[in-house]
Amino acid sequence: MEELRLSKRLAELGLCSRREADEYIAKGWVKVDGVVVDVLGSKVLPSQVVSLEPAAKATQAGRVTILVNKPVGYVSGQAEKGYTPAVALVVPDNHWEGDTSGIRFVPPHMRDLAPAGRLDIDSVGLLVLTQDGVVAKTLIGENSNVEKEYLVRVTGQLSSEGMKKLNHGLSLDGKALKPARVSWQNENQLRFILREGKKRQIRRMCELVGLEVVGLKRIRIGRVLLGDLPPGKWRYLSATEKF
């Protein structure tokens, strides 16, 4: 069996992100077969038992994930072209009063808060910001298979063949897209359920079948719903919610 870097093995097991793994290893918070390993770059066999010390788990427990109902005009990641990043909405005044997580806002919750997935500047709805590397890996890791659901208002005529292609048969950037689930929600709105998230994917898919997107809203990621969260407001992901 081929040895793997310990940090990569920790990430593969879903115990933490690779960045977090290096931090935990350096602090002596990782054990291999019951023995602490604190040397960065250490390697392990897939058959060896890798575990985290309680201190690492306590650190993870203190990390938060925040759900934002992103309005039009905000970018999901870094500020660009004068537009404001969605993380700027995460201030006490915008904390949704319907939040049932029981978590009280403290300034450290803003530290290293990063988007786990993109949502275009002209799209609205559910955006995830997280400090938790495990959550980020679940949603945007290369092997992520988490569903994202969207309501998409369109103009133009969609043929039955076009609908078939939206569900499976289109390619972007020279690569075939994974099968999707696309259906009519009403006479001018489609429901898209995807398991991938290429840049402006839905808009580009629609263009390929003769449709123009005039409104796009993400309403679900995995088992987590946008629900009644108002535009511009945010709430914490509760301990009972899982993607």
Side-chain angles (χ1 to χ4, degrees):
M1 288 185 287
E2 185 179 349
E3 289 186 323
L4 303 170
R5 286 180 68 95
L6 178 54
S7 57
K8 182 178 181 181
R9 182 61 176 154
L10 283 160
E12 282 184 351
L13 293 169
L15 296 174
C16 59
S17 69
R18 291 186 71 167
R19 181 180 60 80
E20 290 168 337
D22 285 337
E23 174 190 342
Y24 297 165
I25 292 166
K27 290 181 177 179
W29 291 353
V30 179
K31 283 185 176 180
V32 178
D33 290 339
V35 178
V36 171
V37 175
D38 58 6
V39 178
L40 293 176
S42 295
K43 294 189 174 183
V44 296
L45 292 168
S47 59
Q48 291 183 280
V49 178
V50 178
S51 60
L52 294 179
E53 290 284 83
K57 294 178 181 179
T59 297
Q60 288 180 322
R63 292 186 173 143
V64 298
T65 295
I66 286 173
L67 310 176
V68 179
N69 187 345
K70 188 189 86 65
V72 168
Y74 287 82
V75 292
S76 54
Q78 297 296 316
E80 57 184 61
K81 298 179 182 176
Y83 293 107
T84 306
V87 70
L89 293 166
V90 185
V91 294
D93 285 349
N94 288 338
H95 190 185
W96 183 39
E97 61 184 14
D99 189 337
T100 59
S101 67
I103 302 172
R104 183 174 63 86
F105 176 80
V106 292
H109 288 169
M110 297 295 297
R111 190 179 303 137
D112 298 324
L113 195 62
R118 63 169 64 92
L119 194 59
D120 298 334
I121 192 169
D122 42 5
S123 300
V124 304
L126 185 59
L127 179 67
V128 177
L129 304 171
T130 188
Q131 296 176 323
D132 190 331
V134 175
V135 170
K137 184 173 183 290
T138 297
L139 298 185
I140 58 175
E142 59 180 303
N143 296 318
S144 175
N145 205 33
V146 175
E147 287 186 347
K148 287 91 173 177
E149 184 172 351
Y150 305 81
L151 296 179
V152 185
R153 286 188 294 112
V154 295
T155 59
Q157 297 296 315
L158 180 64
S159 67
S160 58
E161 184 63 27
M163 177 63 87
K164 288 179 183 178
K165 287 183 177 180
L166 286 176
N167 278 272
H168 193 208
L170 296 177
S171 297
L172 292 177
D173 305 320
K175 188 173 181 180
L177 295 174
K178 293 179 181 179
R181 286 156 55 199
V182 184
S183 59
W184 284 109
Q185 174 74 4
N186 55 47
E187 62 182 13
N188 63 1
Q189 190 173 64
L190 290 164
R191 180 183 298 269
F192 276 72
I193 299 176
L194 307 179
R195 291 183 181 271
E196 58 190 331
K198 295 184 182 295
K199 188 172 184 179
R200 300 182 73 81
Q201 178 172 336
I202 290 176
R203 296 175 190 276
R204 294 166 70 195
M205 289 173 70
C206 286
E207 286 174 4
L208 289 173
V209 296
L211 296 176
E212 180 184 359
V213 173
V214 295
L216 190 155
K217 181 179 184 179
R218 184 159 61 202
I219 61 171
R220 176 174 67 87
I221 299 177
R223 289 171 285 180
V224 176
L225 303 176
L226 177 65
D228 295 328
L229 183 63
K233 297 289 187 178
W234 64 272
R235 70 174 179 88
Y236 289 103
L237 183 75
S238 72
T240 59
E241 291 179 295
K242 303 293 181 186
F243 291 102

